Amino acid sequence: MNRFTSLKVFSAVILLVSLSGCGGSANFVSNSASMISDQESSLFRLLLILAGVVFIIVEGGIIYAVVRYRRRRNDTTEPRQVYANGPMEIIWTVIPVVLVVILFVVMLNTMSAVAAPPAGPADINVTVVGHRWWWEFDYPDLGITTANEMVIPANANVKLTLKSVDVIHSFWVPQLAGKTDVVPGQINTMWLTAKRAGDFNGQCAEFCGIEHALMRFKVVAVDKTAFDQWVTNQKKPAPAAQTDLEMQGQNLVIKGACVGCHTIGGASAQGGKVGPNLTHLYSRSTFAGGAYPLNDTNLTNWLKDTQSLKPGNLMTMHVPDKDIQAVLAYLKTLK
Ligand code: CUA
């Protein structure tokens, strides 16, 4: 590969990589779902346009100068040397200063708009707890604890209280709101309102260890009726096992090591809080910190060997092969 070809390949790769970041459904610039993201999106567009104009003028000037004033074949003498140009220096000082002041003012406005609490009181309070490497969502007023999928009513003012049990994480749902750090020993708060129903992908945005990249979650915004149904279901205790296989699984789970880390059975049930609450596991569509779709194959693989699916995660136990069918059958009743 000659140098020119390498340069072309390099540019193509850079272009591809930078564009691939823009197409996803979590893109807040073209697919915003809240007032906050609208504001952030407008700021981004303004910046992009101003930076684009500056880029074209500056790069255009460079290209023009290089071509127009290049050394010609019959040039024998040095070109005329020029020192300082008053008007030009004033122009290239004043224009950037004006641009920076404009951006500063617009940015301050955006910051205060996105940080301001909504006019009305909170419709829903959710306590978000960051764990390595999954998210716990507690609804203190409703007595619900779930994981990795935060269900909210669309068009409701949601107040989030952010806590961490271990290291610093950052809560980020691009289509709904900006990032807020989740810091151990400190309580941060934020607000969000989804303008429409839908699934909005979230991601931990602060490097927090080996599985930071798989510390994902979803905000599921639904209409009021669907939300009320969800609440009613989540408040129910876990259903009792019916078949022999389910019963066998229930014994393994409830009397085994699982409850050392996981709570199963409802709000009053005993169980650990190190891992996600499993009472209504199968009402969720993902598991393992949003890393995998929740289905029989993935969950079987997980129970066999969690470390191969999410290396370094804190669930170091595995279910022996002979017990997998029973445990899976029981977990599937937890809807
Ligand atoms: Cu939690 Cu990154």
Side-chain angles (χ1 to χ4, degrees):
M1 233 190 271
N2 64 33
R3 231 155 102 208
F4 188 59
T5 322
S6 326
L7 190 69
K8 276 203 287 191
V9 172
F10 178 73
S11 320
V13 168
I14 293 291
L15 189 69
L16 213 67
V17 168
S18 40
L19 289 179
S20 66
C22 307
S25 58
N27 167 10
F28 74 93
V29 180
S30 63
N31 208 1
S32 154
S34 73
M35 179 280 288
I36 294 176
S37 292
D38 286 347
Q39 299 263 352
E40 292 170 342
S41 169
S42 312
L43 181 61
F44 178 84
R45 282 161 203 261
L46 175 69
L47 248 166
L48 192 69
I49 291 166
L50 289 178
V53 170
V54 170
F55 179 83
I56 288 166
I57 293 173
V58 171
E59 295 303 311
I62 291 173
I63 291 168
Y64 173 78
V66 165
V67 174
R68 172 80 174 75
Y69 300 107
R70 71 187 188 281
R71 184 177 180 172
R72 312 295 163 114
R73 210 178 286 278
N74 51 1
D75 279 349
T76 47
T77 53
E78 215 177 57
R80 187 169 63 91
Q81 299 297 300
V82 180
Y83 299 99
N85 182 321
M88 210 158 189
E89 289 189 16
I90 290 170
I91 289 171
W92 74 43
T93 306
V94 169
I95 291 178
V97 168
V98 169
L99 287 180
V100 168
V101 168
I102 291 173
L103 288 178
F104 181 68
V105 171
V106 177
M107 184 203 65
L108 281 186
N109 274 329
T110 308
M111 278 173 72
S112 73
V114 303
D123 298 312
I124 302 285
N125 284 292
V126 184
T127 305
V128 176
V129 187
H131 294 255
R132 281 175 302 163
W133 288 275
W134 59 280
W135 296 93
E136 175 185 336
F137 298 113
D138 298 323
Y139 297 68
D141 310 327
L142 303 170
I144 292 172
T145 295
T146 184
N148 302 321
E149 291 180 16
M150 184 171 96
V151 180
I152 57 169
N155 297 309
N157 294 332
V158 183
K159 186 181 185 191
L160 303 178
T161 304
L162 307 163
K163 298 176 182 175
S164 168
V165 296
D166 39 48
V167 298
I168 302 177
H169 305 277
S170 180
F171 182 89
W172 190 33
V173 197
Q175 286 168 277
L176 297 181
K179 300 166 188 172
T180 304
D181 274 1
V182 181
V183 184
Q186 182 181 322
I187 292 173
N188 287 343
T189 54
M190 66 186 280
W191 292 82
L192 55 82
T193 300
K195 284 196 300 190
R196 56 171 193 269
D199 283 12
F200 305 107
N201 291 323
Q203 165 72 49
C204 177
E206 179 73 45
F207 182 70
C208 54
I210 185 167
E211 285 304 345
H212 158 69
L214 291 186
M215 187 166 168
R216 300 176 193 157
F217 61 100
K218 248 195 313 195
V219 174
V220 181
V222 294
D223 65 38
K224 185 77 178 74
T225 322
F227 181 74
D228 291 342
Q229 279 167 2
W230 179 81
V231 170
T232 310
N233 185 57
Q234 296 290 314
K235 288 170 99 163
K236 286 184 192 153
Q242 302 291 328
T243 67
D244 286 352
L245 192 63
E246 290 168 11
M247 219 91 88
Q248 196 191 328
Q250 186 178 26
N251 277 334
L252 288 163
V253 170
I254 303 287
K255 296 183 181 145
C258 305
V259 288
C261 293
H262 298 282
T263 294
I264 299 161
S268 59
Q270 295 298 307
K273 295 196 162 148
V274 178
N277 184 308
L278 301 180
T279 309
H280 295 286
L281 172 67
Y282 262 77
S283 69
R284 315 201 272 261
S285 62
T286 57
F287 73 109
Y292 293 97
L294 181 57
N295 57 44
D296 298 359
T297 316
N298 286 343
L299 194 58
T300 303
N301 291 337
W302 179 261
L303 295 172
K304 276 186 181 158
D305 182 9
T306 69
Q307 297 299 316
S308 67
L309 270 74
K310 196 168 175 179
N313 88 79
L314 303 189
M315 179 163 163
T316 50
M317 323 203 56
H318 68 276
V319 178
D321 281 355
K322 67 176 172 58
D323 296 336
I324 296 251
Q325 281 312 314
V327 170
L328 184 68
Y330 174 62
L331 292 179
K332 281 173 70 174
T333 67
L334 304 175
K335 297 214 170 99

